Every structure is written in C-alpha cells, then in structure tokens.
Amino acid sequence: MAASSFSLTFVSFSLFAAFYLADSQSFIGVNYGQVANNLPPPVSTAALLRSTTIGKVRLYGADPQIIKALANTGIGIVIGVANGDIPALASNPNSAAQWINTNVVPYYPASNIVLITVGNEVISSMDQGLISQLLPAMQNVQNALNSANLGGKVKVSTVHSMAVLSQSDPPSSGRFNPVLEQMMKAVVEFEKENASPFAINPYPFFAYQSDPRAETLAFCLFQPNSGRVDSGTGIKYMNMFDAQLDAVRSALNALGDFKDVEILVAETGWAYRGDSNEVGTTMENARAYNGNLIAHLRSMVGTPLMPGKSVDTYIFALYDENLKPGPTSERSFGLFRPDLTMTYDVGLSKNSQTPTTPTTPATPSPKPTATAWCMPKAGASDAQLQLNLDYACGHGIDCGAIQPGGACFEPNTVKSHAAYAMNLYYQSLGKNPWDCDFSQTATLTSTNPSYNGCSYPGGSS
C-alpha cells in the first residue's frame, strides 16, 4: 500500500472553519486580464470578487481604476511591471522610484497591494537584452519600495513559465535549463534575501495537449487514476499539478539552499472552449480542473515535497479576454462572463461552495438508528481514496489525528487516513447516509474500527 501524500500539519477544525467561512481564502487568487473591450466596470468587478472566496487578484499592469476599486476590500492585489518598462527601471533608479510613487504609494494600504511582478516570462523569452536587465530592474523596484517605507510589506518578484525547466519528469529530476541557471540563481537569491516568492505558471492543460491520452487527462484533472511513481523518490503522484510544483521545488533545491523561498502559482487554468484541433477544451474539463484544484487547495494537503499547506494559486482567468489573438482557447479561460454570471460553477461563491467530488446519491437511504462508522468499501482504489481524503479534510473537519505524531497517523497509508477522515466527515455532518457515499466508495459498518490509541468517533443518529 502506498503511503498517503496527506501529511504534516492540518489546521484545527476551529481555525479551518473560520478560514473557510471567512470573506476570502488567501491562497485562492485569480488573474484579471484586460485585453478585452467588453469588461464590466472595476467597481462591479470588485463587488463580484467580494461575493466569492477569492482572496487575491493578479493584474498584468497597474490600472489605477482597478486598484482604487479594490480599496478597503481586503483583497490582495498583485500589480505588474510590463516587459517593455524593464529597461527604464533597470537603468534609472529614479524611474523605479517614480513607478512606485505613481502606482503604489497613493493607494497603499487601503488597497492591499501585496506583490509587484517585474515582467512576465522574461527569462524563457530568450531575449538576452531584456533578461540581462531583469534583475537590476527588480533591485531598483525593491530599493524604491524600501525608500517609501514599504519594504517587506510589498514584495517584488518576476513570473516564469515552466519552460525555464529543462527537465520536470519525474518531479525529483526537476532542473533549470543550464543555459539559464546563472540568471535563475541570481533571481532566486534576490527572492531569498527579500522573502519574496518564486512565481511560476504551471498548466496541466498544456501537458495534456502534448499527451492526449485518457489516463493523462484524469491525471491532469485530479480525477481517479493509477498515479505516477517518481522513480527517484518512490513517491506516487496522483495529479499533474502536484507533480509540476514538486519539479519546480526540486529545481530550486538543486540550485542551492533555497528551501525558504516559497513557490507561488501565478497562473494556472483550463480553457473551456477551443478550435477543432485543440484537444480537451470542453466546459466539463474546465469545470473539473478548476473545481478539483480549488478543492485540493482547500484541503491544505499540499504536495508531497511541500505538505501541509496550500501554495498561493492564481487561476487564469477572471474573465475571457475577447481581443486576445491566437487560437480560440486563448479567449476562453474566464470563470465569469462580462455580465458577472458564472461561466461554470467551481464553488467560489460564498453562497454555493459546490463540492466537485464526491456526489450525493439521488435516493438516499434512511438514517441508521444503531451506532455506525463510515468506512471505505473493499476494493476502493488509492486514487479514489486520496480524493475522498482531500475532500473530507477540505470541508472543515479536524484531520490532525492523521498527521505525523497524531494518534491515527500509523499506519501511514492512503486507506487508513482516508478511513479516518471519511468517518469523521460522516459523523460531523449529522450521520446522514448520503454523507457516507463518496462516489459509492464508502459503506456504513457496525464494527468499531478504532485501534490502539486511535479512536474513531461513532454514534447513533
């Protein structure tokens, strides 16, 4: 039996419940692009965002109307320096000071600006002139923040595509392109020194397009699959998102002592529409990817190499951008339409945080009257049980007992951990039979599964 990827410290039920029901969740962000001529006014967008659990917004520029509209909402704001502005900021510290005094100082702290991204995917552009100016621009922006007494309050970083890695499969082999290694190390050293995140754009969507097999699609969509074992570590990965992030973590580890540099997902998403030659571009796949991603983040499981926490993740995108060139998919990533209605529901609304899995049976059976425990059915796969585990612990129960050192951590298997979490979920929600369904992989039993010092809650309805 493979060890569970669910590990390290979960927040307690009380803390998680407060976080889950709060105005927003800081680890869930969204990209707010503006290459469109039909977008609603920024004030309408601000109201939309406040009706969701989205905690942060990433802009590709520093639109003052949007920054002002988000004032006093508590929503974190990422603003961007355009690639074309990098040469001026790199060559002239006064230009950087002027940029900060124009785009940050007048709005902070009412507008909760948390990060400035200097350039987007500059290093993988292979534009040597621009690449050479990236770090000086970042340093000048940081110095300008320091001069404005905002150093440490507003961070500075840059955003990379996955193309900066020369190898990512298996995740333990993750390495940066040797041609870029010297520059990457200098940038990451800057981020370490300033406690800034390493921002990356992982897209399982593109991984599937390059390998359009059914098993790859399930792996990319967080759906039941046989998993992929990392030959270097023996870790079984159950989804592409975790595998890509751990490849980045491995690349950072191989670069030097950068364990304290946090990874930030600046973009990830799935197109819901595409041209005839664009595989996987369906509403169902987009809903599955983004919905299951959100559930995965809320579970606080993390990744095998970064367990027990959720990486800050910005989903692409808030709206479709109808003026973007290229294939249809480029204009089909929006979670919301310009009229502020949902393109599809992934559970972001405060009023309807819709679970993606498991489902409630249409004709639930009556409540049991005898003491019962909810257990996995014989034959349930590790892949499905991992989904059940993520789901249960992502919906407000205290999974501390199955963390390292917890009374129920051993045996450290997916089956054992899932059994504890599934039962606790069932007991906590009122012992309804439909809460012990888990896509028909669970059943009620009258046999107490408690063992040694591990006590499974149980009781009659």
Side-chain angles (χ1 to χ4, degrees), residues 2-8 235-239 242 296 301-304 307-308 386 389-390 412-414 417:
S4 169
S5 66
F6 175 86
S7 51
L8 292 185
I235 293 171
K236 179 182 278 192
Y237 284 85
M238 302 309 301
N239 65 79
D242 285 356
H296 185 57
V301 170
T303 76
Q386 184 68 54
L389 175 61
D390 290 356
N412 179 20
T413 64
V414 173
H417 290 180

Side-chain angles (χ1 to χ4, degrees), residues 47-88:
L48 169 65
L49 290 168
R50 294 187 71 173
S51 74
T52 73
T53 56
I54 293 169
K56 292 175 181 170
V57 171
R58 179 186 169 212
L59 309 178
Y60 292 86
D63 187 307
Q65 296 304 313
I66 296 175
I67 296 172
K68 286 191 289 187
L70 292 171
N72 303 310
T73 63
I75 294 171
I77 307 167
V78 178
I79 59 176
V81 171
N83 289 3
D85 292 335
I86 288 175

Side-chain angles (χ1 to χ4, degrees), residues 33 161 284 440:
S161 76
E284 293 74 17
Q440 301 180 10

Side-chain angles (χ1 to χ4, degrees), residues 120-410:
N120 188 51
E121 300 187 351
V122 170
I123 292 181
S124 55
S125 73
M126 294 300 179
D127 181 334
Q128 296 305 319
L130 196 60
I131 291 172
S132 67
Q133 297 175 94
L134 176 60
L135 184 58
M138 294 172 68
Q139 292 168 331
N140 283 343
V141 169
Q142 181 67 59
N143 291 336
L145 283 171
N146 295 343
S147 297
N149 295 317
L150 293 175
K153 299 174 183 177
V154 180
K155 305 293 186 181
V156 177
S157 187
T158 187
V159 178
H160 307 285
S161 76
M162 288 292 288
V164 295
L165 272 66
S166 60
Q167 192 166 340
S168 61
D169 186 24
S172 62
S173 71
R175 296 295 185 273
F176 291 115
N177 186 329
V179 174
L180 306 174
E181 192 169 291
Q182 184 176 354
M183 180 62 190
M184 292 301 300
K185 187 167 187 178
V187 168
V188 179
E189 283 175 343
F190 167 89
E191 291 166 342
K192 178 181 179 180
E193 180 181 341
N194 293 286
S196 296
F198 181 87
I200 191 81
N201 294 341
Y203 273 93
F205 170 69
F206 294 124
Y208 172 63
Q209 290 201 315
S210 65
D211 180 20
R213 295 176 296 156
E215 57 265 37
T216 303
L217 181 62
F219 189 66
C220 289
L221 296 181
F222 300 85
Q223 292 176 336
N225 64 93
S226 59
R228 298 182 180 183
V229 177
D230 186 321
S231 58
T233 61
I235 293 171
K236 179 182 278 192
Y237 284 85
M238 302 309 301
N239 65 79
M240 180 68 78
F241 182 79
D242 285 356
Q244 289 184 328
L245 290 193
D246 277 1
V248 175
R249 182 81 267 168
S250 295
L252 288 170
N253 292 345
L255 200 60
D257 181 16
F258 297 119
K259 62 182 181 296
D260 295 330
V261 176
E262 298 283 347
I263 293 172
L264 177 149
V265 174
E267 280 183 30
T268 190
W270 199 284
Y272 66 85
R273 181 179 58 200
D275 296 326
S276 59
N277 63 340
E278 294 186 281
V279 297
T281 53
T282 69
M283 192 80 75
E284 293 74 17
N285 288 345
R287 181 189 291 113
Y289 178 74
N290 287 317
N292 288 328
L293 169 64
I294 290 165
H296 185 57
L297 294 172
R298 285 175 176 160
S299 77
M300 303 294 284
V301 170
T303 76
L305 297 187
M306 297 177 287
K309 62 181 180 180
S310 287
V311 169
D312 282 7
T313 299
Y314 293 77
I315 298 172
F316 189 86
L318 182 58
Y319 301 117
D320 288 342
E321 295 176 84
N322 67 337
L323 299 183
K324 271 195 164 184
T328 298
S329 62
E330 284 292 309
R331 298 175 292 282
S332 307
F333 278 85
L335 297 173
F336 294 88
R337 302 183 184 95
D339 65 2
L340 306 179
T341 60
M342 290 182 288
T343 307
Y344 50 86
D345 190 359
V346 291
L348 285 173
S349 170
K350 289 176 183 174
N351 298 324
S352 60
Q353 294 186 16
T354 305
T356 55
T357 55
T359 57
T360 299
T363 55
S365 56
K367 280 190 180 184
T369 55
T371 301
W373 291 264
C374 180
M375 291 287 106
K377 285 183 178 177
S381 70
D382 275 7
Q384 180 61 55
L385 293 178
Q386 184 68 54
L387 284 174
N388 296 350
L389 175 61
D390 290 356
Y391 179 85
C393 292
H395 283 75
I397 64 170
D398 183 0
C399 289
I402 50 177
Q403 293 300 293
C408 302
F409 178 68
E410 297 293 347

